[in-house]
Amino acid sequence: MDDALTGARERMVEQQLKERGIKDPRLLDAFRKVPRHEFVPPELAHRAYSDNPLPIGEGQTISQPYMVAVMTEAADVQPGDKVLELGTGSGYQTAILLELGAEVYSVERVAQLHRQAHDRLSRLNYSRWKLKLDDGTFGWPEFSPFNSIVVTAGAPEAPTPLLEQLALNGKLVIPLEEHFSQVLYTIVRTERGFERHRGERCTFVPLIGEHAWKHDPRE
Ligand code: SAH
């Protein structure tokens, strides 16, 4: 692989992740392994390791590396865990979860992104993943319960089907609140009910579906 890209990836891990407090060595290693430049449109490959989200077509984005790290850390993924992801997008977050040893079920509502992510994950030889083209706010009941659910789009409230499909001690990581500005919440299913932990402010594209925003205000 191109040395310049390898160097850029190592700098991303050092400056954007480690220096901002991401410590888990397994997580940092996952970011060292996944070739992020393969997950962006070819004309943006030279910007793949920059400190921001990038457009991936269809009005959607691949999240900023740091935000992917914060969400993955909050999801507390262990090898062998079953993880549901909403918003496959480029498939980058899916690949990070796979590098951590999870079995990943990921749902995307835009056909072209779903198809491209499918081709990309196959081409990069990842295994133990399933992608579905659907409204992810219904979850994926056949494969539930999940140890973690990671939602990479912003919702007004946690979709009820997702709460129902969480395993005991499972974690739902989801940006909530307004259309254009959210707070990252981690919701844990305990024996006493659901515990909500408020995290940092963030900006995501909207989660559009039956149990979220009913339509994209940008369309
Ligand atoms: N995890 C992605 C980020 C994609 S951005 C990555 O690493 O590249 C969020 C994605 O959520 C978009 O692709 C958008 O189309 C998708 N999305 C929005 N609402 C959805 C829904 N109800 N079900 C599934 N996907 C949805």
Side-chain angles (χ1 to χ4, degrees), residues 60-61 85 87-88 90 93 107-110 113 135-136 152 208:
Q60 308 304 330
T61 54
E85 178 190 21
T88 314
S90 67
Q93 169 85 69
V107 190
E108 169 59 54
R109 73 183 270 274
V110 176
L113 297 177
D135 170 5
T152 65
I208 319 251

Side-chain angles (χ1 to χ4, degrees), residues 109-157:
R109 73 183 270 274
V110 176
Q112 191 179 333
L113 297 177
H114 161 77
R115 223 172 17 247
Q116 285 173 352
H118 197 284
D119 291 350
R120 196 173 270 142
L121 292 170
S122 305
R123 183 163 41 83
L124 295 171
N125 283 320
Y126 282 102
S127 52
R128 289 160 54 92
W129 52 270
K130 268 193 204 306
L131 302 188
K132 178 162 83 154
L133 177 64
D134 204 352
D135 170 5
T137 66
F138 292 101
W140 201 333
E142 300 95 292
F143 296 107
S144 69
F146 298 99
N147 302 100
S148 310
I149 301 180
V150 178
V151 183
T152 65
E157 218 352 284

